[in-house]
Amino acid sequence: MHRIQTIDQMIARRAVSRRGFVRAGLAGAAALGAAALAGCSGGQSATAGGAGASASGSGLKKITFALDWTPNTNHTGVYGAAANGYYKDAGLEVEIVQAPENGADALVATGDAQFGVSFQDTMASYVSGDSVLPVSAVASIIQHNTSGIISRAEKGITHPAAMMDHTYATWEGPIEQGVIRRCVEADGGDFSRVQMIPSTVTDEVTALQTDQVDTIWIYWAWAGVKCELAGLDINYFAFADIDPVFDFYTPVVIANNDLIADDPDTVQAFVDATRRGYEDCIADPDASAKALLDAAPELDGELVRASQEYLADQYQADAAQWGVIDQDRWDAFFAWVSEQGFAPTIEAGAGLDTQFIQ
């Protein structure tokens, strides 16, 4: 446990505040507990660096998969792969667990989870320098960055420079604020005139309707869809449309590096089964929504179904298959992070292993 705490604290010190984005976007699901996580049985903990022993009598290899936060439509392919027996077919028993406050990265780094969900902007805090974590992205969950800035239409914030003289709910992360600065200045605006206020947003619809804040960084598949369902008249612009360097990978499946080196067959089996789960999401979003709601019935069914419909076109998008990570795009974002001084120099391919998506 001491090792987990040490790594977790290191991530907290160097975090780029991606955690806040997830917390705000999924506030409606925050009441879900670990008991709601379905698809696999509990049992023995995995050992550091490798998969656990076969479950008693099952002949299946025990794997732990750590979510980044509470269940949502980013995770549906994993729940579907469990519910449809794809992991069992691959010889795996996958336990899905909620991660601690600072996300799945620490659990995967220690091997207490073999796989998990992270984000390229989060990984920027630990893929270079003196405290590199033994974690690599092995598949993308969503092919393109679907995040951006949302505001009420009546505010007239249709482009980044229009954020000037309006409030923005910030999690005070260097990369987060660096992205906003780059977008505002590239649009001819003065970043110093964006009124940064500490984020207390727990529900985007309420925050915008009540003028708690003028602009919020959201992930469209959940918060954007939620605002649409609420009938909110909004403006929205996506970061990837402002600057291609911001088309980074968010979220991704991460794996423990020792597991990759020592047992690549298990990694391949997990990735292949997970891909089948996300391919089902693409082919039949309604059935996939049901699989997620069966696992997490406290979620808003209308929101889950609408989010799945949106993500059906986003999981793979224009890639040859689900899970592809383009190293050029990966490296371009990390190069920008390094150039801005948000992290030590990040070498090409750092934190990335593409061998399992062919």
Side-chain angles (χ1 to χ4, degrees):
M1 183 61 70
H2 175 72
R3 187 182 176 208
I4 294 175
Q5 290 173 340
T6 299
I7 291 176
D8 196 57
Q9 290 163 0
M10 185 273 289
I11 293 175
R13 288 195 301 270
R14 302 176 62 189
V16 292
S17 206
R18 175 60 185 77
R19 185 68 171 178
F21 305 149
V22 178
R23 182 184 299 109
L26 302 178
L32 289 173
L37 300 174
C40 313
S41 65
Q44 91 180 50
S45 297
T47 55
S54 295
S56 177
S58 72
L60 303 176
K61 183 171 288 186
K62 175 67 180 296
I63 291 294
T64 300
F65 181 86
L67 303 180
D68 53 300
W69 193 235
T70 50
N72 63 84
T73 47
N74 284 348
H75 312 135
T76 309
V78 177
Y79 283 105
N84 292 323
Y86 299 156
Y87 292 129
K88 183 177 180 180
D89 292 346
L92 305 175
E93 179 187 356
V94 178
E95 179 186 14
I96 305 171
V97 302
Q98 285 188 215
E101 176 67 15
N102 284 306
D105 307 76
L107 289 182
V108 176
T110 61
D112 285 81
Q114 288 70 49
F115 301 94
V117 178
S118 190
F119 309 83
Q120 190 181 359
D121 48 337
T122 296
M123 295 179 71
S125 68
Y126 64 73
V127 296
S128 65
D130 297 330
S131 302
V132 175
L133 295 189
V135 169
S136 294
V138 295
S140 64
I141 292 177
I142 298 174
Q143 184 56 218
H144 293 284
N145 182 1
T146 60
S147 69
I149 295 295
I150 196 168
S151 60
R152 286 168 59 191
E154 65 185 55
K155 303 288 185 178
I157 308 170
T158 58
H159 54 100
M163 293 178 71
M164 292 189 302
D165 305 318
H166 288 92
T167 56
Y168 166 72
T170 177
W171 288 276
E172 301 176 297
I175 291 180
E176 171 218 355
Q177 293 191 1
V179 169
I180 301 298
R181 174 187 289 274
R182 172 75 166 261
C183 290
V184 169
E185 291 180 349
D187 196 34
D190 180 353
F191 175 71
S192 69
R193 288 174 57 187
V194 178
Q195 299 171 15
M196 298 282 184
I197 62 173
S199 179
T200 58
V201 174
T202 57
D203 177 80
E204 295 82 7
V205 173
T206 300
L208 293 174
Q209 285 178 330
T210 61
D211 284 327
Q212 293 176 29
V213 65
D214 296 326
T215 60
I216 309 171
W217 181 324
I218 65 157
Y219 286 75
W220 185 266
W222 197 263
V225 170
K226 184 178 181 180
C227 287
E228 283 192 327
L229 291 175
L232 203 61
D233 191 10
I234 57 172
N235 285 321
Y236 175 78
F237 55 84
F239 296 121
D241 292 338
I242 304 299
D243 191 326
V245 79
F246 297 142
D247 192 14
F248 51 88
Y249 285 92
T250 173
V252 295
V253 176
I254 55 174
N256 177 275
N257 284 353
D258 288 340
L259 180 67
I260 292 173
D262 298 340
D263 195 358
D265 289 344
T266 292
V267 180
Q268 189 69 68
F270 178 84
V271 171
D272 288 346
T274 302
R275 179 171 57 229
R276 291 179 67 188
Y278 281 99
E279 287 172 346
D280 287 350
C281 293
I282 295 167
D284 193 342
D286 286 340
S288 298
K290 183 179 184 302
L292 178 58
L293 289 167
D294 286 345
E298 294 85 349
L299 291 173
D300 181 328
E302 183 183 22
L303 175 56
V304 167
R305 286 185 287 271
S307 180
Q308 288 297 161
E309 193 68 36
Y310 168 77
L311 283 175
D313 294 329
Q314 303 299 322
Y315 289 123
Q316 180 175 333
D318 54 357
Q321 62 178 315
W322 176 86
V324 168
I325 298 179
D326 180 340
Q327 186 177 333
D328 288 342
R329 275 174 52 202
W330 183 269
D331 289 344
F333 177 67
F334 276 166
W336 177 80
V337 168
S338 296
E339 289 166 2
Q340 301 305 305
F342 299 142
T345 300
I346 301 175
E347 300 296 331
L352 177 64
D353 195 320
T354 61
Q355 66 177 304
F356 302 103
I357 298 290
Q358 304 295 335

